[in-house]
Amino acid sequence: SWCQRKEPGMVVQTSGSTGEPKTIKHSRSAVLASIRDTLKHWELHAGTKAVLALPTSFVAGQAMLIRALEGAWDLELVEPSSSPSWNEPKDFVALTPHQAHGWLQNGCGKTKTLLLGGGPISASLVADALHSGRVEELWESYGMSESITHVATRKIQSTNDLSTPFTPLRSTTVKVDERGCAVLEVPSRDVHALATNDCIEMQPDGRFVWIGRADDVVNSGGVLVHPSLIARAFESIM
């Protein structure tokens, strides 16, 4: 469908993290804008050795496939699983945190760049990845089906970086609404005033710290408690 230049350029199922799961259609021009953002951000040129270990029913898997087609990559297809493996060293691999944990524990393979997305990553996963000798650069992405994958990233060089801000891509502007949640503006991807349920703390330079999900917040005697912050605190002692 993509090679025949059909519209829409992408049809994906949402994960349900921003509401009820639904089908979303994106135009070819919007998808191409997302693909080009990724190629430029990580300087991924023709011949890039990559792995597709994500299911193509969701946005991340479809995006990897189209990146490979548009970027002339050498893409190895791996059956999606909780413990993916590959043989030859790669330049670029994208996994969910759950997959990355299984890959480090039970899988094999190395990569120059490992991109984690689809959920929060733990301090233990960061430590395992950085000390494994199988990853040169570890990155975390922020994005969703509606934004055609990541719109912001951060490089993780230690467990302390889990509290550092995400940097929006050049194509993206992030604002905060009255709820304290992120609102995304990515004109090149036909994304306008996309309201999320992600509570963030904006920085003066346009970066933002992800705090947690608004629909997960616990109101304890008038004090709003984010479970993700509590979990991170417990990780240091349990």
Side-chain angles (χ1 to χ4, degrees):
S1 177
W2 179 264
C3 293
Q4 292 174 355
R5 301 185 178 279
K6 291 183 178 180
E7 289 283 2
M10 184 183 286
V11 179
V12 294
Q13 288 291 121
T14 67
S15 62
S17 61
T18 57
E20 290 296 319
K22 58 185 177 182
T23 300
I24 294 182
K25 298 179 180 180
H26 293 294
S27 68
R28 287 183 63 89
S29 61
V31 174
L32 276 171
S34 171
I35 299 307
R36 289 166 181 162
D37 280 347
T38 298
L39 298 181
K40 186 175 182 179
H41 183 70
W42 281 286
E43 298 182 349
L44 302 170
H45 306 295
T48 291
K49 295 182 182 298
V51 166
L52 172 58
L54 300 162
T56 53
S57 54
F58 295 105
V59 67
Q62 283 196 32
M64 283 294 289
L65 193 56
I66 297 173
R67 288 170 195 152
L69 291 168
E70 290 296 317
W73 290 1
D74 179 359
L75 184 69
E76 180 178 347
L77 308 183
V78 174
E79 184 75 21
S81 73
S82 59
S83 300
S85 290
W86 54 91
N87 295 317
E88 294 183 359
K90 303 301 180 183
D91 300 309
F92 185 77
V93 176
L95 300 173
T96 66
H98 181 64
Q99 283 183 307
H101 177 77
W103 168 63
L104 290 170
Q105 296 296 319
N106 304 307
C108 63
K110 296 182 178 181
T111 181
K112 176 182 177 183
T113 300
L114 176 62
L115 176 63
L116 298 178
I121 62 177
S122 66
S124 59
L125 176 56
V126 168
D128 289 346
L130 294 177
H131 297 147
S132 67
R134 296 161 64 183
V135 178
E136 291 185 33
E137 291 188 4
L138 181 64
W139 290 77
E140 183 180 9
S141 66
Y142 171 81
M144 57 202 69
S145 301
E146 293 87 343
S147 66
I148 318 179
T149 71
H150 43 263
V151 295
T153 65
R154 62 179 175 183
K155 191 174 183 179
I156 304 294
Q157 296 176 290
S158 74
T159 53
N160 293 331
D161 290 336
L162 289 174
S163 58
T164 59
F166 283 90
T167 300
L169 301 180
R170 292 184 178 182
S171 60
T172 302
T173 301
V174 179
K175 298 181 179 179
V176 63
D177 62 16
E178 65 280 356
R179 302 173 300 150
C181 294
V183 179
L184 309 180
E185 190 76 26
V186 198
S188 62
R189 305 187 194 181
D190 295 331
V191 174
H192 302 284
L194 175 60
T196 74
N197 286 326
D198 292 306
C199 296
I200 64 171
E201 182 181 296
M202 288 298 303
Q203 307 292 301
D205 59 4
R207 297 184 300 163
F208 64 92
V209 176
W210 185 84
I211 300 174
R213 302 280 301 171
D215 35 12
D216 288 340
V217 170
V218 177
N219 190 332
S220 178
V223 178
L224 300 183
V225 180
H226 287 278
S228 60
L229 299 181
I230 302 300
R232 188 171 297 167
F234 271 115
E235 269 194 337
S236 64
I237 58 175
M238 296 179 65

